[in-house]
Amino acid sequence: MTEEADEALGRDGGPRHADAVALGEADETWPQIVEDAVRGELKEIYAPVDAMGKERKPSLNHYPTIPWDKLDLDQFNLIPKLMHPLLKGFREGWGTFRIVPVESGRGCPYGCEFCTVTGFFGDSIRFRTNESVVNELLLLKARARTEGGQIAVFFVDDNFAINIKRTKSLLRDIIAAKAQVFWVAQISANLLRDEELVDLIAASGGKWIFIGMESVDPANLKGVNKGFNKPGEYAAVLERLAKRNIYAITSFIFGMDNDTPGVAERTLQQVRTWPPGLPIFGLLTPLPATPLYKRLEAAGRLTRPRHWLDFVPFTMAHSPLKMTIEEAHAEVHYGWAHSYSPEALAQAVAALDDQHVGDRFNIFLARLCFRGIYFPMMRKSSWLRVVLENRRTILRLLKEGVFRWMRPGNPSSRDPFGVAAPNVSGRL
């Protein structure tokens, strides 16, 4: 709504979708919106501006305390209800697995052409205090222990390590306070060259890192203002993470200006040489008010200028330069189909044969879940079909897990898949 306020309010001749629109960050304006709504006196536009009319960016130094000990966390539970009895019977404390969003900072200064972040947050990079973040993690960790469930954290920061010195400081404080929970975050590949940073990520509970690789073609990266990504360094970054049992969600965009048919296979040829992770594939999408949108609009290349009003997943809204729209769609399908087939899942598990069975189970379960991003898995029948297709890999993992459990001298505090009890560090 920030970028298309007139559209939301019906000022552009279309239908009205909202009574009021909050522009930009709503930290300061939201209380006023609530008060005006209670009085029945909503304004159409709320904007955080100073006396001179300049947008004001809120500080995160006095971040509000979120009562995680009282909130209903069911919305964050990733375990389908039909699996609750099975998991509860398998291991105490696994009836729920929640991934809770936590913000530690805002903003990213890189200005990638397709990204909305820099336009929305400006070039103002702000952080919460370490103490505030640590206290929030301690609250979540205590709740998980009290309820006998599992909690992980997704740091929703646009680029969690954008200020490496600050990130190291935060991670050290998390470790010192014993506030470690398993966590996921978004970090640029170029920031993961720092060995000490990666050590601290592992020691503080980091398990999965989302990396926007976008392309293995340097020309594509330069064309969207992401030349700081160096495809030649991708393998070293992922190996650095994998040595510490941290794995990557690697994101790729097809339909860039230098892409041609076969881009998916060329990308997968690289992916197959890396430690197993979670590759995901999407299409270059011109979001409103981004430099990409403006460039494609000026060039007359937009095929669905208001594509967000008729959202269709994995469908292009502009014409690529060196392939057709249909060919771009086929490349995305190829990427997903060849990364999440039963054969690909088995290969990912086999690639970790020298690792604990828990790490292999982790990769396998994560791939099953991520498969649903592209291939619908909303019905029990869909899950049953996937389980049957992957039965050999599942049986192999179960067999090894049970063997490990039955082996003399096996520590009783751990389950056969190496997953720790809620108040003990272990594998996710």
Side-chain angles (χ1 to χ4, degrees):
M1 287 188 178
T2 292
E3 307 298 352
E4 297 291 334
D6 287 343
E7 176 185 284
L9 295 168
R11 293 175 176 177
D12 63 348
R16 187 178 181 122
H17 303 285
D19 296 319
V21 172
L23 301 183
E25 299 170 64
D27 304 56
E28 296 180 12
T29 54
W30 184 248
Q32 185 63 52
I33 293 171
V34 173
E35 291 177 11
D36 289 354
V38 169
R39 292 195 303 267
E41 299 175 359
L42 273 175
K43 304 181 184 70
E44 288 195 329
I45 297 286
Y46 290 85
V49 295
D50 58 24
M52 303 298 292
K54 184 179 179 180
E55 184 179 8
R56 182 170 52 241
K57 296 294 184 183
S59 168
L60 302 185
N61 286 333
H62 304 289
Y63 204 81
T65 300
I66 301 175
W68 290 117
D69 54 334
K70 299 180 179 66
L71 294 178
D72 180 4
L73 301 184
D74 284 348
Q75 62 183 312
F76 304 121
N77 189 23
L78 297 187
I79 297 177
K81 287 185 178 180
L82 72 157
M83 293 183 67
H84 287 191
L86 175 64
L87 286 172
K88 282 184 177 179
F90 174 71
R91 175 69 182 180
E92 183 180 355
W94 274 91
T96 61
F97 180 71
R98 298 151 173 166
I99 296 187
V100 178
V102 172
E103 179 182 52
S104 87
R106 288 181 196 166
C108 179
Y110 289 152
C112 301
E113 186 188 40
F114 53 80
C115 187
T116 61
V117 170
T118 306
F120 186 85
F121 288 115
D123 56 3
S124 175
I125 311 302
R126 290 148 287 148
F127 303 105
R128 293 170 60 182
T129 64
N130 289 2
E131 181 183 15
S132 170
V133 177
V134 168
N135 287 342
E136 197 164 325
L137 297 183
L138 287 171
L139 199 62
L140 288 166
K141 189 173 183 177
R143 177 157 181 179
R145 185 165 52 245
T146 300
E147 295 183 353
Q150 302 294 318
I151 281 184
V153 159
F154 173 33
F155 285 113
V156 297
D157 304 34
D158 306 295
N159 201 333
F160 183 64
I162 193 62
N163 182 320
I164 291 182
K165 182 178 179 180
R166 178 264 176 182
T167 303
K168 289 181 178 180
S169 171
L170 172 61
L171 298 181
R172 289 191 186 103
D173 284 356
I174 290 172
I175 296 164
K178 294 182 171 54
Q180 294 102 320
V181 294
F182 299 132
W183 58 264
V184 186
Q186 304 172 103
I187 302 178
S188 297
N190 60 306
L191 301 175
L192 294 166
R193 300 166 182 154
D194 191 306
E195 294 277 354
E196 183 185 33
L197 172 64
V198 180
D199 282 337
L200 289 168
I201 288 172
S204 63
K207 286 296 173 184
W208 289 94
I209 302 298
F210 181 100
I211 305 175
M213 291 181 165
E214 323 308 2
S215 179
V216 295
D217 182 349
N220 271 332
L221 296 168
K222 183 178 180 180
V224 294
N225 198 34
K226 199 163 183 174
F228 56 85
N229 261 17
K230 307 297 181 185
E233 297 180 353
Y234 288 170
V237 165
L238 298 180
E239 291 286 354
R240 189 173 297 123
L241 293 172
K243 285 179 182 177
R244 296 159 175 87
N245 288 330
I246 306 167
Y247 295 93
I249 304 165
T250 51
S251 175
F252 298 95
I253 298 174
F254 295 154
M256 290 184 170
D257 284 354
N258 205 43
D259 280 344
T260 58
V263 62
E265 177 55 30
R266 291 192 293 273
T267 302
L268 289 178
Q269 286 173 5
Q270 296 293 312
V271 172
R272 294 182 189 116
T273 68
W274 300 339
L278 300 174
I280 60 176
F281 309 91
L283 292 158
L284 187 64
T285 303
L287 297 172
T290 59
L292 174 65
Y293 188 94
K294 295 172 183 176
R295 175 169 69 85
L296 294 176
E297 183 180 40
R301 291 173 57 191
L302 296 176
T303 56
R304 296 190 298 133
R306 316 284 275 188
H307 58 88
W308 52 89
L309 293 178
D310 182 25
F311 175 72
V312 183
F314 299 102
T315 302
M316 292 205 78
H318 76 280
S319 298
L321 277 183
K322 297 182 178 181
M323 64 171 77
T324 66
I325 289 176
E326 291 73 20
E327 287 171 334
H329 291 173
E331 294 298 323
V332 168
H333 181 85
Y334 185 100
W336 282 100
H338 285 75
S339 296
Y340 292 87
S341 66
E343 294 77 19
L345 268 63
Q347 289 167 4
V349 170
L352 293 176
D353 268 352
D354 60 335
Q355 300 294 319
H356 191 286
V357 64
D359 291 317
R360 279 173 279 156
F361 184 75
N362 180 8
I363 287 287
F364 178 73
L365 187 59
R367 286 229 181 176
L368 281 189
C369 292
F370 266 63
R371 182 186 183 280
I373 296 173
Y374 186 82
F375 297 103
M377 294 173 59
M378 301 301 290
R379 299 176 181 273
K380 292 181 181 179
S381 58
S382 300
W383 277 98
L384 179 60
R385 182 173 63 253
V386 171
V387 167
L388 289 174
E389 290 173 349
N390 291 277
R391 60 189 179 277
R392 292 183 180 177
T393 302
I394 294 172
L395 289 172
R396 179 187 175 195
L397 289 169
L398 286 173
K399 181 179 179 180
E400 185 170 346
V402 171
F403 174 78
R404 184 180 181 87
W405 176 62
M406 295 179 64
R407 189 170 56 195
N410 180 62
S412 60
S413 63
R414 300 186 66 84
D415 64 44
F417 291 102
V419 181
N423 61 340
V424 182
S425 63
R427 292 179 177 82
L428 188 66

